[in-house]
């Protein structure tokens, strides 16, 4: 039989292991019957068998509504995890920010006293007092003209009367395609001298959204495939209930970081650009699967659910429970026939 399977490995690998164990001999016999005089079946027949195998991998156990629920939950979790991976790859394409001291020297009006010049790879903040003889509107215009002369695209200087919760100010926005800058010049109050600030963050790379969508789709496919394989395994298990409870608990825990990551993604794509870090999903080399600090601050969530560590714990515990469920779902002895293509992956 081993010689008969020669060359059929890729086609048989399209079928899940449970099918190869139960119907491997019939599949091989079908392939041999379809083979022509040269021992090879037609290309169309081979494509049809491969498609049938892949379709079987996506099929859920019949007559089990909870399997459908689990697959839908896995679709959400897998999609979120895939989108997180795709967006993380997209984050590596962000341009480096200019240094805070360089921004202060090139873009602020002269004569001010430095208050704060800080920055890293994801955010910069520069703040100086405004020199005597300049009012905030004039200081903002000086800064805007400096940026425009340096090749930045700027908006015109606007004003704010303080009714929006900010101090009375003059402001504008600037971009050079790689970096976004928000400039605010504030009028003096009884307690605060006039000052000008520049907040900056990287512009979103053009490939960010396509990479995120690609990750989302791939994650949804993988999530469904894992759910189908696990629900079939549990359906054939000696003790279904413990395995099903463990798997269900794991999926439920994973829903928390998955749904909050989707919320963070929506906030980043549609929220205000002036969020504290530009709404970045992943900062530095960190991988985020759950809510960002920007989202938690925006929504005012506090307590245990206001800490990112909670969502990391849910992620690790959820995947651990699913792995234990897969191990606990041992098949009946009747389902333990050897794989006719033993070395093939499941």
């Amino acid at each position: 039989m081993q010689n008969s399977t020669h060359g059929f490995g890729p086609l048989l690998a399209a079928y899940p292991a449970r099918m190869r164990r139960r119907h491997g001999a019939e599949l091989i016999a079908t392939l041999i019957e379809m083979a022509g005089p040269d021992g090879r079946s037609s290309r169309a027949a081979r494509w049809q068998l491969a498609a049938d195998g892949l379709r079987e991998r996506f099929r859920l156990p019949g007559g089990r509504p909870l399997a459908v629920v689990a697959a839908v939950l896995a679709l959400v979790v897998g999609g979120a995890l895939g989108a997180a991976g795709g967006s993380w790859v997209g984050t590596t394409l962000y341009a480096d920010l200019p240094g805070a001291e360089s921004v202060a020297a090139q873009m602020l009006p002269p004569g001010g006293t430095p208050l704060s010049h800080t920055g890293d790879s994801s955010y910069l903040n520069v703040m100086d007092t405004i020199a005597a003889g300049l009012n905030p509107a004039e200081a903002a215009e000086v800064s805007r003209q400096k940026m425009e002369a340096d090749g930045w695209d700027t908006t015109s200087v606007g004003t704010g009367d303080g009714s929006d919760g900010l101090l009375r100010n003059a402001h504008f926005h600037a971009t050079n395609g790689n970096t976004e800058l928000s400039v605010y010049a504030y009028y003096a109050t009884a307690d605060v001298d006039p000052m000008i600030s520049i907040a900056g963050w990287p512009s979103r790379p053009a490939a960010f959204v396509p990479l995120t969508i690609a990750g989302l789709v791939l994650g949804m496919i993988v999530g469904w495939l894992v759910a189908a394989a696990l629900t079939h395994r549990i359906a054939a298990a000696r003790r279904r209930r413990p395995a099903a409870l463990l798997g269900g608990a794991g999926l439920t825990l994973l829903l928390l970081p998955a749904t909050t990551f989707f919320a963070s993604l929506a906030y980043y794509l549609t929220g205000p650009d002036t969020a504290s870090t530009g709404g970045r999903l992943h900062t530095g080399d960190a991988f985020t699967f759950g809510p960002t600090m920007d989202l938690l601050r925006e929504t005012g969530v506090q307590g245990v659910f206001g800490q990112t560590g909670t969502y990391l714990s849910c992620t690790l515990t959820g995947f651990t429970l699913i792995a234990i469920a897969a191990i606990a779902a041992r098949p009946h002895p009747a389902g333990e026939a050897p794989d006719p293509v033993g070395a093939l992956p499941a």
Side-chain angles (χ1 to χ4, degrees):
M1 182 66 72
Q2 287 288 354
N3 292 335
S4 300
T5 67
H6 180 70
F8 296 146
L11 286 177
L12 291 175
Y15 289 83
R18 67 178 187 276
M19 289 290 294
R20 298 200 303 266
R21 283 194 295 265
R22 296 175 184 174
H23 307 292
E26 293 93 323
L27 290 171
I28 292 172
T30 300
L31 288 168
I32 293 174
E33 290 176 5
M34 293 170 59
D38 60 353
R40 294 179 61 84
S41 54
S42 68
R43 180 176 298 180
R46 296 169 75 88
W47 276 108
Q48 181 62 45
L49 282 174
D52 288 343
L54 293 176
R55 188 161 46 246
E56 185 62 32
R57 284 185 178 270
F58 281 91
R59 187 179 65 82
L60 299 174
R64 297 185 182 274
L66 289 180
V68 178
V69 173
V72 171
L73 296 181
L75 203 67
V76 174
V77 172
L81 192 60
S87 61
W88 181 82
V89 173
T91 299
T92 64
L93 303 178
Y94 279 77
D96 293 332
L97 288 175
E101 293 297 339
S102 173
V103 168
Q106 296 176 19
M107 301 178 183
L108 289 180
T113 301
L115 297 176
S116 174
H117 294 176
T118 60
D120 55 27
S121 62
S122 61
Y123 191 68
L124 69 85
N125 181 67
V126 173
M127 184 177 293
D128 282 14
T129 61
I130 296 175
L134 282 178
N135 64 46
E138 292 170 338
E141 180 60 26
V142 169
S143 184
R144 190 195 70 79
Q145 291 179 7
K146 282 190 168 189
M147 293 184 189
E148 196 171 64
D150 204 27
W152 291 73
D153 293 325
T154 67
T155 64
S156 59
V157 175
T159 58
D161 59 8
S163 60
D164 55 0
L166 298 175
L167 297 175
R168 183 181 170 213
N169 64 79
H171 57 267
F172 68 93
H173 187 84
T175 181
N176 66 354
N178 294 323
T179 303
E180 307 291 326
L181 298 178
S182 181
V183 182
Y184 275 76
Y186 297 98
Y187 286 83
T189 66
D191 302 316
V192 179
D193 291 330
M195 57 187 178
I196 183 168
S197 71
I198 300 178
W201 58 92
S203 302
R204 186 184 306 149
F208 182 89
V209 172
L211 285 169
T212 302
I213 293 174
L216 170 71
V217 173
L218 181 60
M220 292 174 70
I221 292 172
V222 172
W224 186 278
L225 288 173
V226 170
L230 184 57
T231 51
H232 274 288
R233 182 177 176 86
I234 292 175
R238 300 172 183 174
R239 298 178 179 177
R240 301 189 190 98
R241 189 179 297 274
L245 290 174
L246 286 168
L251 274 174
T252 301
L253 283 175
L254 288 172
L255 275 179
L256 183 60
T259 53
T260 52
F261 174 79
F262 277 133
S264 295
L265 177 61
Y267 180 71
Y268 173 59
L269 295 177
T270 64
D273 286 339
T274 54
S276 62
T277 59
R280 289 278 295 270
L281 287 170
H282 312 276
T283 55
D285 295 327
F287 177 83
T288 298
F289 182 58
T292 60
M293 289 305 301
D294 288 321
L295 180 71
L296 293 175
R297 279 192 290 265
E298 179 69 17
T299 55
V301 176
Q302 298 180 351
V304 66
F305 292 109
Q307 304 173 19
T308 55
T310 299
Y311 303 88
L312 176 60
S313 297
C314 287
T315 300
L316 296 177
T317 305
F319 280 120
T320 299
L321 290 176
I322 291 173
I324 294 173
I327 295 171
R330 296 180 179 179
H332 285 287
E336 294 179 345
D339 190 331
V341 190
L344 291 176

